[in-house]
Amino acid sequence: MKTKFKTLFALAALLLASATSASAQQTSTEGKNYPHIFLGLQGGAEMTLFNGTNEVSPIGALEVGSWYNSKVGLRGKAYFWKNKYDNDDMRQTFKYTNTKVSVDFLLDLTNLIKENRKVKNFSTVWFVGAGINMNWAKDVAYEVTDEYPNGWAKQMRWDGTRHNVGFSANTGFRFQYDILKWLGVNVEVAGHYNGHHANNYANNLGDWQFTALAGVVFNLGQKSGAGKKKAVVPPTPVRPTLPAKKAEPKPAQKPAQKPVAKKPAETKPAAPAKRYQETVFFGNAVSELTAEEDAKLKELAQWMNENPGTYIYLTGYADATTGNPELNMEISKKRVEAVANVLKEKYGIKEARIHTSYKGDTVQPYSTPDRNRCVVLSTKK
């Protein structure tokens, strides 16, 4: 029994250590960071099939695990409840304490089939695992069967001890909806097989148990926003030159004999500059503007109002070192739409003067990944 517990604890330690060591190499899919650790708490009902009867008991569960990416994860889970079974010969229902600990492999079927989908907060997860089942506190059954040491009632006892440990295996499905990036609710159904060593009934057969649970899960290391944004140094924008002021005419010089007024030479104002270049930067996997980047759009809107014949071209980009081409194309589209909406709705620039396009990670305008999460603003297409 000690060897089994040591093996189980070693697996749990490996789970937490691997998740912690990988946290420095996080990637992001639609704003959620991977890998990340999660904690869960559940409650529900459990049904045990024994001797032709189906006994239902309340059940609780705790879990800790890690999603290594958007599709694959691993968890350790502990179930606990006050179980019971009915003995037909003695017409009695006996209760005992039951605890099960398992290590499960997790596979997110929804992300596996289609990761870039409309309803991104819902997921269906299949899990399969194995562990240890432990029963004890069966004193009522012992008190009754002590009177019949050689009878069939011995099937209610464990051999040689009042608590017994055996192998268990389980599989099932989990349906989860993430209310926030760090908080989700779920429903889980599973079937569990407990080897006969866990109960040591007279027929040497194991038990089947079925569980239905509902609960909450906390995703650690996730924030409602997109996380901490890296400080970037924006390029110096090209400022428009103002038209030259009209030269004041010089007073005509009167000759001594016959004054002749000279016509002052007129100077035309210089044409306003039609060139504007700026870049708006974003955090990893997000399309929300910060106050600092919004200020750049305010300056652009002021310049466009001063130069009514100009047009602005917006091109969205994404960092090629994170995500995948499909997701990066989508996030570059969202970024350029966000900039265009601010110019139209907040600063009153007409839609006809704004031209948008997006290139995902197919083009990298800058040499560093964090600067390629951007929208380039230019009067030149």
Side-chain angles (χ1 to χ4, degrees), residues 51-356:
N51 252 14
T53 63
N54 302 329
E55 296 296 335
V56 178
S57 305
I59 178 177
L62 291 171
E63 64 180 1
V64 57
S66 174
W67 282 106
Y68 296 97
N69 53 51
S70 61
K71 303 175 184 66
V72 178
L74 192 68
R75 75 176 180 187
K77 189 164 187 176
Y79 305 83
F80 44 89
W81 62 87
K82 193 73 172 180
N83 213 332
K84 60 184 177 180
Y85 68 91
D86 179 71
N87 181 267
D88 294 336
D89 295 337
M90 307 192 71
R91 302 179 184 277
Q92 286 184 272
T93 298
F94 297 98
K95 295 182 179 181
Y96 60 94
T97 302
N98 178 256
T99 299
K100 189 194 312 294
V101 182
S102 68
V103 176
D104 301 333
F105 168 78
L106 309 175
L107 183 64
D108 192 318
L109 300 178
T110 311
N111 283 336
L112 185 67
I113 296 172
K114 186 172 178 60
E115 188 165 30
N116 187 21
R117 57 195 188 280
K118 291 184 178 180
V119 184
K120 299 179 178 63
N121 293 350
F122 178 79
S123 60
T124 300
V125 177
W126 171 70
F127 59 89
V128 61
I132 295 172
N133 185 77
M134 182 175 182
N135 302 318
W136 72 94
K138 205 175 181 185
D139 297 332
V140 176
Y142 268 78
E143 291 174 3
V144 175
T145 56
D146 281 342
E147 300 178 11
Y148 307 94
N150 299 317
W152 279 101
K154 292 284 286 183
Q155 66 179 336
M156 297 180 300
R157 304 179 60 152
W158 296 300
D159 188 21
T161 180
R162 294 191 176 230
H163 56 271
N164 213 25
V165 177
F167 168 81
S168 69
N170 70 94
T171 186
F173 292 92
R174 178 192 192 110
F175 308 96
Q176 181 164 316
Y177 182 81
D178 292 326
I179 302 172
L180 302 170
K181 292 178 182 179
W182 59 271
L183 176 65
V185 293
N186 57 65
V187 175
E188 186 173 302
V189 291
H192 308 259
Y193 179 77
N194 302 321
H196 74 273
H197 289 292
N199 298 317
N200 204 25
Y201 297 123
N203 56 11
N204 283 334
L205 295 177
D207 286 344
W208 273 102
Q209 293 175 326
F210 297 93
T211 55
L213 298 166
V216 295
V217 63
F218 301 93
N219 300 309
L220 305 185
Q222 307 294 328
K223 295 182 179 180
S224 297
K228 199 171 183 179
K229 297 180 176 61
K230 295 182 181 179
V232 295
V233 180
T236 303
V238 178
R239 302 298 181 185
T241 58
L242 298 176
K245 292 183 178 180
K246 186 183 291 186
E248 294 292 335
K250 295 181 179 180
Q253 294 181 353
K254 296 180 180 181
Q257 298 179 354
K258 190 177 181 180
V260 178
K262 292 184 179 181
K263 188 176 181 180
E266 295 184 358
T267 57
K268 295 183 179 180
K274 305 299 182 183
R275 185 81 171 96
Y276 196 96
Q277 182 76 34
E278 181 61 281
T279 304
V280 174
F281 296 97
F282 295 84
N284 187 17
V286 296
S287 57
E288 291 81 8
L289 285 161
T290 64
E292 180 181 0
E293 304 306 304
D294 184 90
K296 298 177 182 178
L297 300 184
K298 183 178 180 181
E299 291 184 3
L300 170 60
Q302 182 179 354
W303 181 83
M304 293 185 71
N305 289 331
E306 294 172 354
N307 297 271
T310 57
Y311 296 86
I312 193 72
Y313 295 88
L314 314 178
T315 307
Y317 300 92
D319 169 26
T321 64
T322 59
N324 57 57
E326 185 179 3
L327 292 174
N328 288 339
M329 188 64 70
E330 179 69 18
I331 193 64
S332 68
K333 178 182 178 183
K334 290 181 178 179
R335 286 167 177 165
V336 78
E337 288 175 347
V339 172
N341 288 337
V342 170
L343 288 173
K344 291 183 291 184
E345 298 172 6
K346 187 173 181 180
Y347 296 115
I349 304 300
K350 292 184 179 180
E351 186 174 0
R353 300 179 64 192
I354 302 173
H355 300 270
T356 62

Side-chain angles (χ1 to χ4, degrees), residues 2-22:
K2 291 182 178 180
T3 302
K4 293 179 181 178
F5 276 118
K6 288 180 179 179
T7 303
L8 184 63
F9 291 149
L11 288 172
L14 178 62
L15 169 68
L16 293 175
S18 60
T20 303
S21 63

Side-chain angles (χ1 to χ4, degrees), residues 12-60:
L14 178 62
L15 169 68
L16 293 175
S18 60
T20 303
S21 63
S23 61
Q25 304 174 359
Q26 292 186 342
T27 59
S28 177
T29 301
E30 288 300 328
K32 183 174 285 187
N33 293 325
Y34 295 97
H36 67 263
I37 298 174
F38 64 88
L39 302 174
L41 177 64
Q42 296 174 314
E46 175 270 336
M47 182 174 67
T48 301
L49 306 184
F50 169 75
N51 252 14
T53 63
N54 302 329
E55 296 296 335
V56 178
S57 305
I59 178 177

